[in-house]
Structure formats: C-alpha cells, structure tokens
Amino acid sequence: MIFAKPSARTRISFETGFYRLGGHALYLGPDDIGIGKREAVSDIARVVSGYNDIIMARLFEHRHMLELAEHASVPVVNGLSDYNHPCQIMADMFTILEHRGHLDNLKIAYVGDGNNIVHSWLRLACRLPFNFTIACPEGYQPDPDTIKLAKQAGLSEIAISHDPMQAVRDADVVYTDVWASMGHKEEADERRRKFEGFTVTAQLMAATGKDSIFMHCLPAERGVEVTDEVLDAPYSIVFPQAENRMHVQNAIMLRLLGKG
Ligand code: CP
C-alpha cells in the first residue's frame, strides 16, 4: 500500500481487509518511497510488483496512478488520486443498494465541491443508470471532460446547478464532502466564504421532499459542509458507508486475484 497522502479509512480498510482475506498488507507512507520524487514511478512499479500480488496506491497526481498501472505486472488499485476515488464510490453505491434494496429510479444530489469524489460518481454514471445532480458554487464545477464523458455515455441523467435547494428536490440521497480536500487546505478560508449556503442542514434534507438518506465519504468537517444534526441523524448512513469500504475493496481484490 503506497500512501503519498494521509488516510484513516483507506489504510485501515485495506490493511484489515487484506488480513481478513488471509493476506498481509504492507503500509508505505509518504516518507517511505517518495514516488515520482525519490524514484521514478515506472521503477517503483517494477520493484514493488516483484514482491507483491497487488499494489494499492493513494497518490496526488492521477498520471502517476496510470503510469504505475502501466509498468506494474500486478493489479494496481486506485485508493484516491487528485482526479478520482473509485473504491469510495463503488462502496457508496453498494451501501445505497444495501439500504434501499434496489437502484431503480435513483436520484443522487451532490452538494459541494466538484472534486475527485464527483469525478468518480460521473464515471460510475457511465456504467450504471441514475440521476446525478451536482450543486456547487460558480467556479467549483467538476472537470468538464468528465461531465462530457458521463453525458455522452447516455445512461444517466447529469445536471449541474448552483442552487442546493433546487438540486436536492426529489433526491433519494444527499451527498457531500469537505470543501477543501487534500491539496486545497490553504484555500480553506476562501472556500468557506464561497461555499456559504452549501452546508447540508436539516432544512436542506427536508427540501428533498422524501425520506432521503445522507452520505459523506468522511472525514467530515462538522459544522462546515454538514451540520452535526444531519451527520448524526437516523437518516445518515455515513458509518455503514465507511464500513463497506472494506467489504467492497475485498471483493475488488478477490476479483483481481481471480478468486471472486
Ligand atoms: N474516505 C476516505 O478515503 O477516507 P481517508 O482519506 O481517511 O482514507
């Protein structure tokens, strides 16, 4: 497990999960490898492949993830890059399925920054049909090419709005993430000003007009992008959501190892 960034859920879920499958996971932190700095990504890919059956990586630059996958001779699992976070969104969709019992006529409203989480939702929208509405401030939209990709796939309804109240109407799921992700922490104060009105509150949850569920990939900044009242409400499924990271990632790893 190569971590160029900090993590709680991803590290614990992969390490515990792989142990529970009968394997052994090795944690390599930001000071251990220096991927792309101390050593070329392509060299690390070949060296680590020689010792291990799977590489899981959390990296800053998405091009490094692709380079790792290109040069590794074992499967590479993306544990988050600045562009996307696929394991998170696969676990999230599984959690929705577990909670609702089906994925029919699903509307997900994402309120907040158009970040790597949103890119993974958009990419999943190319594989599964659902309605995905993003409410973000002007200037914080997701990557235009990824929006285009999701729209061109023609499977899901994709909408971008700057009005959270309107975006959540009829939503089955209201989802948010921190406003300043890793790599944007120095912009936190400015973002708090620009994201005013985008906090997920009980009033916003009521505006769905449904018995909607609340989701957040965590870690949360309580009182910033979501109130305590919402995060701790009976309709919040953030902790089963976090737990499912492990089960879904185990399924992914078994599949990659040809055992699932
Ligand atoms: N959601 C998530 O990936 O959490 P960590 O950053 O703690 O791994």
Side-chain angles (χ1 to χ4, degrees):
M1 305 191 298
I2 303 172
F3 281 90
K5 300 182 180 201
S7 167
R9 277 143 293 271
T10 304
R11 177 183 174 176
I12 299 165
S13 58
F14 269 104
E15 191 163 331
T16 306
F18 206 46
Y19 176 76
R20 287 169 72 149
L21 291 179
H24 170 73
L26 184 69
Y27 172 77
L28 298 159
D31 296 329
D32 290 317
I33 285 195
I35 193 162
K37 291 184 191 139
R38 180 171 175 265
E39 193 163 355
V41 177
S42 55
D43 291 346
I44 287 290
R46 282 175 275 209
V47 170
V48 178
S49 296
Y51 304 133
N52 298 277
D53 297 307
I54 294 183
I55 299 171
M56 193 291 300
R58 165 166 290 198
L59 306 176
F60 285 91
E61 294 185 53
H62 192 66
R63 68 183 173 95
H64 284 167
M65 192 71 74
L66 300 178
E67 209 179 331
L68 197 57
E70 186 189 340
H71 294 280
S73 57
V74 298
V76 172
V77 178
N78 177 351
L80 180 145
S81 72
D82 286 347
Y83 172 63
N84 66 357
H85 198 359
C87 291
Q88 178 71 57
I89 269 42
M90 288 171 78
D92 294 346
M93 196 54 117
F94 175 73
T95 308
I96 295 170
L97 175 63
E98 193 175 58
H99 188 82
R100 288 177 92 224
H102 63 88
L103 297 177
D104 302 340
N105 302 315
L106 174 65
K107 177 175 175 177
I108 301 172
Y110 177 96
V111 179
D113 184 26
N115 62 12
N116 48 6
I117 289 290
V118 178
H119 297 153
S120 280
W121 274 120
L122 288 168
R123 296 188 77 99
L124 187 61
C126 302
R127 302 292 188 104
L128 293 174
F130 58 98
N131 183 312
F132 187 58
T133 301
I134 304 149
C136 58
E138 296 273 4
Y140 293 90
Q141 288 94 331
D143 168 50
D145 288 342
T146 310
I147 298 173
K148 200 167 145 192
L149 192 77
K151 286 187 173 172
Q152 282 180 344
L155 199 60
S156 298
E157 295 285 320
I158 309 294
I160 312 275
S161 157
H162 302 298
D163 178 350
M165 283 288 177
Q166 180 240 319
V168 301
R169 198 163 301 145
D170 295 326
D172 302 290
V173 179
V174 177
Y175 194 118
T176 191
D177 187 11
V178 288
W179 292 341
S181 305
M182 285 174 272
H184 294 114
K185 291 296 180 197
E186 72 290 347
E187 295 174 22
D189 290 343
E190 184 193 350
R191 282 175 177 245
R192 281 190 190 203
R193 282 193 297 279
K194 293 199 170 151
F195 282 72
E196 205 174 317
F198 285 79
T199 301
V200 179
T201 59
Q203 192 191 10
L204 191 69
M205 290 300 297
T208 65
K210 281 186 165 178
D211 288 332
S212 315
I213 53 177
F214 172 73
M215 299 181 79
H216 191 309
C217 55
L218 304 177
E221 287 200 54
R222 284 173 173 266
V224 180
E225 75 275 5
V226 58
T227 60
D228 286 339
E229 187 183 7
V230 170
L231 200 68
D232 297 325
Y235 53 71
S236 166
I237 59 166
V238 299
F239 299 113
Q241 179 187 358
E243 180 188 326
N244 279 336
R245 288 288 303 279
M246 182 175 72
H247 305 305
V248 168
Q249 288 160 191
N250 279 1
I252 293 168
M253 290 193 288
L254 285 174
R255 176 96 174 174
L256 292 172
L257 293 168
K259 296 177 190 298

